[in-house]
Amino acid sequence: AITRDVDPDLALFAMACRLAEGVVGLASMSRETGRLWLATAAGADAPDTATSAALGAFLMKMPDSSSTLAATCFAVGSTIFACLLLRGRIVPVALAWLGVLASILVVVLLPMELTGIALGPIGKLMWLPMLVFEVSLALWLIVKGAAMPARRMTAAEV
């Protein structure tokens, strides 16, 4: 809502990216739920040993690209939101730039991870700038709030 007055189309697209992140994350929970069921199955509901071994092997070897895909949707949405925060001067410029740069870093590195390129420790460290931005932004909005940009008048309002 705070970025809608800056550019309603981009704000809607960023929201759609964050929604897609949630949907992809929710869809990927079936694998985790299957693992949990298999680990805790007991009594009459428990599969036999051979079936447990086969299901366990299948669930452990399923590709985990859905979490990377969800994270990519998150990063694209975050990049757009940070750009809108910067363009609208809704938060301090340094904080908005941190968000833009941290988001772009994740947007660039995540597809490399998705395609199987080994990133090593950079793959984990790429999230630190995003963590700093998200926590700083949350604290700023809680303490100071958002500076609402001047509403643009449409041709019908003039």
Side-chain angles (χ1 to χ4, degrees):
I2 63 174
T3 58
R4 185 177 41 221
D5 288 336
V6 178
D7 189 325
D9 296 329
L10 280 177
L12 182 63
F13 180 65
M15 183 189 72
C17 288
R18 299 302 287 269
L19 180 66
E21 169 204 357
V23 170
V24 170
L26 182 64
S28 69
M29 285 182 57
S30 62
R31 185 179 86 161
E32 307 307 323
T33 306
R35 286 180 182 173
L36 181 62
W37 171 80
L38 188 59
T40 59
D45 289 338
D48 60 50
T49 306
T51 305
S52 292
L55 282 173
F58 173 73
L59 290 172
M60 294 305 284
K61 291 188 180 192
M62 281 179 66
D64 191 23
S65 60
S66 59
S67 62
T68 306
L69 182 60
T72 303
C73 292
F74 163 80
V76 170
S78 184
T79 303
I80 296 168
F81 278 133
C83 288
L84 292 173
L85 291 172
L86 178 64
R87 190 174 2 156
R89 303 288 192 246
I90 297 170
V91 297
V93 173
L95 181 59
W97 270 114
L98 174 63
V100 170
L101 296 175
S103 300
I104 288 173
L105 177 69
V106 175
V107 166
V108 168
L109 293 179
L110 271 176
M112 295 169 77
E113 190 175 282
L114 189 62
T115 58
I117 297 173
L119 297 175
I122 294 174
K124 303 298 180 213
L125 294 176
M126 73 176 162
W127 290 103
L128 286 178
M130 184 63 79
L131 173 70
V132 171
F133 167 67
E134 293 285 336
V135 171
S136 301
L137 177 65
L139 290 173
W140 181 268
L141 292 175
I142 289 169
V143 173
K144 296 285 189 172
M148 295 306 292
R151 184 171 160 85
R152 295 182 184 167
M153 295 184 66
T154 63
E157 294 175 333
V158 175

